[in-house]
Amino acid sequence: MAESSWPGELLVVAAQRGDVDAITALVSGSHPNVRRFARSLCATPEDAEDAAQEALIILYRKIGTLRASGALASWMFRIVRNECLRRARTMARDRTPPWDGFAPSAEEEVLLRLEAGRVAAAVAALPVDQRRVLIMRDIQGHSGRTVADALGLSTAAMKSRLHRARAAVRHMLGAAPDATPEGNTDGNEG
């Protein structure tokens, strides 16, 4: 597949000098490349579109700060990469379900691994009785009744241990105290 070329150096120089027509042509000519790069880095098509738009706005506003006219592509790629990473961090912080079937980029995979490592360490640090309940209920997805029966506990005791385990993990991860993980604690099926 032939790669589209970036706008020429003369256009970049004219845009750096403030020529409005050159700036408009530069933004328009850069859009396909910026968009393609954002799609390869961002978690979702929506994030990619937003990151590409943000990068083009920065290009429009700050073209005069570009030091070398030949560095346009690397400057724009850096802006897009930073915007995609910012969005991935925001998504992780907000605990939004990531990627809805789209493969994460390398940067997103690293962020996910770091977060997964933190969660695994927090679960491993739990007392054994709490860890067993948490793993069976929240990770393996067993019903509250099944977990209580398997561990020889009353449903109330299972719920209490699960609540303490979740609270301890949230505390270790620094999450807000009233954030609740997926799954209920009522011991009912589902």
Side-chain angles (χ1 to χ4, degrees), residues 18 21 40 64 101 106 126 171 177 179-180:
D21 292 334
S40 72
L126 291 172
H171 177 74
T180 33

Side-chain angles (χ1 to χ4, degrees), residues 43-45 97-104:
T44 66
W99 302 290
D100 294 335
F102 295 94

Side-chain angles (χ1 to χ4, degrees), residues 95-179:
R95 305 289 187 253
T96 305
W99 302 290
D100 294 335
F102 295 94
S105 69
E107 288 87 355
E108 293 157 349
E109 286 182 13
V110 168
L111 289 172
L112 281 175
R113 285 189 194 126
L114 289 172
E115 186 66 16
R118 288 183 63 226
V119 171
V123 170
L126 291 172
V128 175
D129 60 332
Q130 291 178 19
R131 186 170 57 237
R132 284 184 186 145
V133 169
L134 183 80
I135 289 172
M136 289 181 74
R137 184 74 177 101
D138 289 350
I139 297 172
Q140 295 174 342
H142 295 294
S143 70
R145 187 174 301 121
T146 302
V147 173
D149 291 345
L151 297 176
L153 301 170
S154 68
T155 303
M158 185 282 306
K159 286 182 188 180
S160 176
R161 287 183 188 180
L162 182 60
H163 175 75
R164 285 194 307 264
R166 287 174 174 170
V169 168
R170 274 194 303 271
H171 177 74
M172 285 184 255
L173 296 177
D178 32 71

Side-chain angles (χ1 to χ4, degrees), residues 171-189:
H171 177 74
M172 285 184 255
L173 296 177
D178 32 71
T180 33
E182 292 291 322
N184 61 30
T185 60
D186 61 55
N188 294 331
E189 300 285 332

Side-chain angles (χ1 to χ4, degrees), residues 34 37-39 41-44 46-58 75-91 93 105 107-108 111:
V34 169
F37 188 66
R39 284 183 175 169
L41 273 184
C42 286
T44 66
E46 295 81 15
D47 280 351
E49 286 300 318
D50 291 346
Q53 289 300 316
E54 185 65 28
L56 293 171
I57 290 168
I58 291 170
W75 185 52
M76 293 306 297
F77 286 165
R78 211 169 29 255
I79 292 168
V80 171
R81 183 196 66 211
N82 291 341
E83 183 63 19
C84 289
L85 286 171
R86 185 189 68 74
R87 289 173 178 282
R89 285 186 202 106
T90 300
M91 186 184 301
R93 206 176 16 250
S105 69
E107 288 87 355
E108 293 157 349
L111 289 172

